[in-house]
Amino acid sequence: HIHGLMAVRDTSVLPYFYRTKDGPEIDLVLVRGNKPVLAIEIKMSANPFLSKGNRLALSDLGDPPAIIVVPHITDYPLEEDVRVCGLENFWKYLDVVHAIP
């Protein structure tokens, strides 16, 4: 499904993997110009959460909105600017940040 994202994304939005030498990482960061517009973390857990490393990475990136994508059908706010959603709902959040045309 991530390959599908790359095929349909707005070409002004570029995808990056973010990881520092100390370990904090985010699976996918969508960037427009030099501004991260959405951080995407992929989890297989039924009870997803952001790790300390994920939080440090988000802070490094300027605290963009974040989505935790999970394999099951769900959609709920985890906290302010962090949402958990299944693949079915993931696409609508890309539209909200104008990542797809």
Side-chain angles (χ1 to χ4, degrees):
H1 290 288
I2 296 301
H3 294 293
L5 163 64
M6 297 305 99
V8 300
R9 71 178 163 77
D10 178 332
T11 57
S12 71
V13 176
L14 298 175
Y16 294 96
F17 170 72
Y18 181 86
R19 183 166 191 233
T20 69
K21 66 179 178 83
D22 298 324
E25 59 96 6
I26 294 291
D27 292 328
L28 185 62
V29 180
L30 300 182
V31 177
R32 179 177 282 111
N34 64 354
K35 182 180 182 202
V37 294
L38 186 65
I40 302 164
E41 187 63 20
I42 301 166
K43 303 284 188 183
M44 295 303 292
S45 171
N47 297 307
F49 64 93
L50 292 175
S51 69
K52 179 180 178 184
N54 295 146
R55 291 183 186 285
L56 288 170
L58 287 171
S59 179
D60 289 350
L61 293 166
D63 292 314
I67 293 179
I68 301 173
V69 179
V70 294
H72 49 279
I73 298 171
T74 192
D75 191 350
Y76 61 90
L78 184 64
E79 55 194 68
E80 186 176 350
D81 289 331
V82 179
R83 182 154 210 96
V84 173
C85 70
L87 282 173
E88 306 78 23
N89 293 322
F90 173 66
W91 300 103
K92 73 180 177 184
Y93 296 109
L94 292 179
D95 190 40
V96 167
V97 296
H98 308 292
I100 55 176

